[in-house]
Amino acid sequence: MQEIKLLRERIAGGGFDPEFSALCGGTPAASCRERWLSVLAGYEKAFGPADRAALFSAPGRSELGGNHTDHQRGKVLAASIHLDVIAAAVPNESGMIRILSEGFPVDVVDLSETAPRPEEAGKSSALIRGIAAKFLSLGYPVTGFDAYTTSNVLKGSGLSSSAAFEVLVGTILNGLFAGNAVGPVEIAQIGQHAENVYFGKPCGLEDQMASSVGGIVAIDFEREGAPRIERIPFDLASCGYVLCIIDSGADHADLTDEYAAITRELAQVCGCFGRRVLREIPEEEFFAALPAVRAAAGDRAALRAIHVYEDNRRVEEMTAALRAGDLSRYLRLAAESGISSWTQLQNVSPTGSTVHQEVALALSLARRLLGGQGACRVHGGGFAGTLQAYVPAERLDAFVSGIEAVFGPGSCHIMSIRPRGGIQLA
């Protein structure tokens, strides 16, 4: 916490520029200063003048490998990115949390009511309530706060704007009421719990973990509640490649059942063995029982299970390739993961959709524009939204132009990998 007057002077005078440079990729320092000054102004417009405030940031994330493996206690490779949700926050001692996110109505959560509320399912207030409830259960004296937030994480883009918001709320509570004693792994787990139990979405832990921990991270979820995490130092830009996220323009609305069907069908596969997740079933045992699996769960469920087994191995190999600096091997594996998502996991186009197959079309166009170089793959949950492409720097202009000629101006976004996860700046 610092005096708001001093915060403004420090931001305007470039005092935070080193932090902004690390967190915001190639974004000009002047733009970063303006954004952080605007969040302070937004706070005071919403909640009135304050003597002191704290500043927080939580990044979006990009999944690099391991598509839909996390909820099977599998392996993933992910990275935090330079797009983030930022906040100015002030304790209010009222027993209430009030968060005004730019462009949305204010969320108000009464801390005396910590149980999930059915009417909040699918709303950001459910996430706030669930995260605050966990901090209270851990014994931290959460007495309420006001916060104003703004985000440049592309909503519905597969960059996990919801996970970034969860990590932001956890980081605020950690900074204001827990003396930053709660580690990034636990903050991620708290966010997942809130999304599963309070918000009502059966997500895995990858998104929250990548946002909270930061950088490129290899995560193994074999040990429930205690994932193994390895940070991988690797500079993609120094190898002459640019990471792009392509927004296909597909609509995420009414796709909840498509996402839930993946976990539901994999649960049917696991039920054939009396297990909960695929990680508990040796691959050889699965294939030995494949006829019975097909009969009980169906062919799509079997194919989705095969994808999970194979993508877990690919994550190991992709991680090893990055450790060794072998980018060509890494890109080959990334492309294989994308093909597996399309043909086995089948999360590129919604079931039965024939007219609208935006992600599939974007993948086909990206492969053509890459001309046999780089790689592209479906990004995140799939079915709608975005894909990921690794583009040689010398082809970047032509690649962006080719994508935007079909999917519209601003549909191809250039990403930077951020070295830090959720943080308190002041």
Side-chain angles (χ1 to χ4, degrees):
M1 295 271 290
Q2 290 187 11
E3 291 184 19
I4 285 186
K5 178 183 177 182
L6 295 179
L7 278 176
R8 283 199 174 96
E9 291 175 354
R10 184 177 171 190
I11 293 169
F16 283 103
D17 283 2
E19 289 92 337
F20 295 160
S21 177
L23 299 180
C24 303
T27 306
S31 296
C32 295
R33 292 178 208 144
E34 181 179 352
R35 185 167 177 245
W36 282 95
L37 288 170
S38 74
V39 86
L40 286 171
Y43 175 88
E44 293 197 313
K45 182 178 179 180
F47 301 108
D51 294 330
R52 300 168 67 83
L55 301 179
F56 300 89
S57 164
R61 75 93 181 93
S62 182
E63 171 200 286
L64 306 182
N67 195 209
H68 279 278
T69 54
D70 57 337
H71 48 71
Q72 298 301 306
R73 297 220 315 266
K75 302 177 182 182
V76 300
L77 188 65
S80 56
I81 57 170
H82 73 284
L83 303 178
D84 63 351
V85 189
I86 64 173
V90 179
N92 61 26
E93 306 295 329
S94 70
M96 309 287 285
I97 293 176
R98 299 186 298 172
I99 299 180
L100 178 60
S101 297
E102 183 180 24
F104 295 90
V106 64
D107 286 305
V108 180
V109 170
D110 186 338
L111 292 170
S112 67
E113 302 176 14
T114 57
R117 299 176 64 171
E119 69 272 18
E120 285 185 339
K123 298 179 181 179
S124 53
S125 56
L127 298 173
I128 299 165
R129 189 179 307 279
I131 296 166
K134 188 62 175 179
F135 270 83
L136 285 166
S137 73
L138 292 171
Y140 294 110
V142 180
T143 55
F145 68 87
D146 297 322
Y148 180 83
T149 85
T150 185
S151 174
N152 59 13
V153 183
L154 309 170
K155 192 171 178 60
S157 64
L159 297 175
S160 296
S161 57
S162 60
F165 181 76
E166 292 159 23
V167 170
L168 179 76
V169 173
T171 304
I172 292 172
L173 288 165
N174 196 27
L176 296 184
F177 304 107
N180 290 311
V182 181
V185 172
E186 191 171 5
I187 287 176
Q189 292 169 327
I190 291 170
Q192 183 205 22
H193 174 77
E195 189 159 349
N196 290 170
V197 177
Y198 286 74
F199 188 85
K201 181 178 178 181
C203 69
L205 185 56
E206 174 197 342
D207 298 353
Q208 295 87 350
M209 195 69 76
S211 176
S212 189
V213 174
I216 298 177
V217 287
I219 311 169
D220 187 339
F221 292 106
E222 181 178 17
R223 295 180 297 175
E224 192 167 15
R228 291 190 292 271
I229 301 168
E230 178 186 359
R231 297 194 68 178
I232 310 294
F234 188 82
D235 184 1
L236 184 67
S238 69
C239 297
Y241 274 80
V242 178
L243 180 65
C244 292
I245 299 296
I246 300 161
D247 184 358
S248 70
D251 190 356
H252 276 81
D254 300 323
L255 289 176
T256 298
D257 191 61
E258 292 281 3
Y259 302 124
I262 295 177
T263 53
R264 185 169 61 245
E265 291 177 15
L266 292 175
Q268 290 173 343
V269 171
C270 294
C272 298
F273 301 87
R275 316 284 173 79
R276 294 180 303 153
V277 293
L278 286 176
R279 191 61 177 268
E280 297 174 347
I281 307 167
E283 188 173 355
E284 298 78 8
E285 185 178 343
F286 165 81
F287 275 101
L290 189 54
V293 170
R294 294 182 64 201
D299 287 348
R300 187 172 72 168
L303 284 165
R304 285 174 161 171
I306 292 169
H307 161 83
V308 171
Y309 284 118
E310 293 182 352
D311 237 28
N312 279 332
R313 279 199 302 278
R314 270 187 290 266
V315 167
E316 292 180 355
E317 295 176 26
M318 292 171 78
T319 302
L322 288 182
R323 286 197 211 101
D326 188 348
L327 185 61
S328 61
R329 181 183 172 206
Y330 172 86
L331 292 174
R332 175 180 59 78
L333 292 162
E336 288 180 6
S337 176
I339 292 169
S340 179
S341 292
W342 197 339
T343 60
Q344 296 183 137
L345 184 61
Q346 299 179 43
N347 68 333
V348 168
S349 298
T351 305
S353 178
T354 56
V355 175
H356 291 288
Q357 295 192 0
E358 294 92 342
V359 176
L361 182 61
L363 283 166
S364 296
L365 179 60
R367 289 171 64 184
R368 177 180 174 83
L369 292 169
L370 287 170
Q373 296 181 275
C376 59
R377 60 192 292 275
V378 67
H379 183 262
F383 298 111
T386 61
L387 60 140
Q388 176 188 81
Y390 297 87
V391 185
E394 67 273 10
R395 301 181 74 103
L396 181 62
D397 290 345
F399 184 87
V400 172
S401 296
I403 292 293
E404 297 192 344
V406 175
F407 293 99
S411 57
C412 188
H413 304 275
I414 298 170
M415 297 289 119
S416 295
I417 293 175
R418 162 171 157 158
R420 296 284 304 277
I423 63 166
Q424 178 176 352
L425 270 74

